[in-house]
């Protein structure tokens, strides 16, 4: 498993991100690593070296934050952010998408089959890691649905499926509980 110092070096090597944002990312990655020390950050380290952070608006991106694993772009909708969201929370949500991505999917969201469940689980993790001090909460409906599914199949299944990009494990657990997928 990769060392945190190597992750920080990779963050520093990215010329697309300004130094203040890099420090914020390091702080959040440190929180993540302290909470989940067994999650390998090798893939994140590879992706962060050339990650681009871009601003968009409500006409381009309806979500507050969106990560595209194909282009390695983390996009923030400035029209939405200015409405009262906690930026630390939103950045952590985006970073979790980077951490849980590989070359074909983010978390257990394969071909948008589990997009809402993946978003809800990302938000649950974000809330557990950094809380939310904003005036607005994010993805409430997805969080409620994800909590119901976690109760049914177990949070450990969601956790392993999410960080190992193992959609099959998730599908098997759902089928075992009688859910048609």
């Amino acid at each position: 498993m990769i060392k945190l110092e190597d992750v920080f070096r990779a963050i520093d090597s990215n010329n697309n991100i300004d130094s203040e944002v890099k420090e914020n990312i390091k702080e959040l990655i440190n929180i993540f690593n302290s909470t989940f020390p067994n999650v390998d950050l090798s893939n994140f380290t590879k992706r962060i070296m050339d990650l681009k952070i871009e601003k968009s608006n409500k006409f381009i991106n309806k979500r507050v934050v969106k990560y595209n694993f194909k282009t390695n772009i983390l996009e923030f909708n400035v029209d939405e952010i200015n409405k009262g969201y906690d930026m630390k929370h939103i950045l952590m949500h985006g970073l979790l998408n980077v951490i849980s991505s590989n070359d074909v999917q983010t978390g257990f969201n394969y071909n948008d089959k589990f997009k809402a469940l993946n978003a809800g689980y990302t938000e649950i993790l974000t809330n557990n890691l950094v809380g939310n001090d904003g005036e607005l909460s994010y993805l409430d409906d997805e969080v409620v649905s994800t909590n119901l599914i976690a109760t049914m199949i177990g949070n450990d299944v969601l956790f392993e499926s999410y960080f190992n990009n193992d959609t099959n494990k998730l599908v098997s657990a759902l089928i075992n509980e009688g859910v048609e997928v």
Side-chain angles (χ1 to χ4, degrees):
M1 203 162 355
I2 195 159
K3 294 179 182 173
L4 200 54
E5 302 83 48
D6 296 327
V7 177
F8 289 168
R9 264 195 296 284
I11 293 167
D12 286 333
S13 75
N14 186 326
N15 294 324
N16 300 317
I17 303 172
D18 73 44
S19 59
E20 183 180 346
V21 175
K22 286 179 184 178
E23 292 308 311
N24 291 331
I25 291 171
K26 287 179 189 177
E27 176 187 344
L28 294 175
I29 290 300
N30 194 40
I31 291 169
F32 176 85
N33 190 63
S34 296
T35 307
F36 302 119
N38 294 326
V39 174
D40 187 10
L41 290 171
S42 297
N43 194 47
F44 173 81
T45 302
K46 180 182 90 173
R47 292 181 169 284
I48 194 66
M49 288 191 281
D50 64 350
L51 177 76
K52 290 181 180 69
I53 297 177
E54 295 182 356
K55 295 177 183 177
S56 66
N57 61 41
K58 63 185 175 188
F59 299 112
I60 297 171
N61 173 19
K62 301 228 182 277
R63 288 201 162 171
V64 178
V65 61
K66 178 176 145 186
Y67 176 65
N68 184 327
F69 66 87
K70 293 175 186 170
T71 61
N72 202 25
I73 295 175
L74 187 59
E75 192 176 309
F76 293 93
N77 178 337
V78 293
D79 293 337
E80 289 297 317
I81 286 173
N82 294 331
K83 291 181 178 177
Y85 288 99
D86 176 0
M87 266 315 291
K88 182 177 184 179
H89 179 90
I90 296 301
L91 180 57
M92 178 57 93
H93 186 98
L95 292 175
L96 282 167
N97 281 296
V98 178
I99 291 167
S100 69
S101 290
N102 62 21
D103 293 333
V104 295
Q105 69 190 65
T106 299
F108 42 71
N109 178 22
Y110 182 71
N111 285 336
D112 288 340
K113 183 155 182 130
F114 296 104
K115 186 176 183 176
L117 183 63
N118 197 77
Y121 193 67
T122 304
E123 185 60 10
I124 288 168
L125 291 171
T126 304
N127 282 324
N128 288 336
L129 288 165
V130 296
N132 187 352
D133 292 333
E135 297 169 16
L136 299 173
S137 57
Y138 188 52
L139 301 173
D140 289 337
D141 293 338
E142 289 85 346
V143 167
V144 169
S145 299
T146 302
N147 275 321
L148 291 171
I149 291 172
T151 301
M152 187 173 32
I153 66 172
N155 190 53
D156 57 328
V157 171
L158 288 174
F159 186 87
E160 290 171 25
S161 299
Y162 185 83
F163 286 111
N164 295 315
N165 305 106
D166 192 350
T167 305
N168 291 331
K169 182 176 186 116
L170 174 64
V171 169
S172 294
L174 289 168
I175 291 171
N176 287 342
E177 291 298 322
V179 176
E180 290 185 31
V181 184

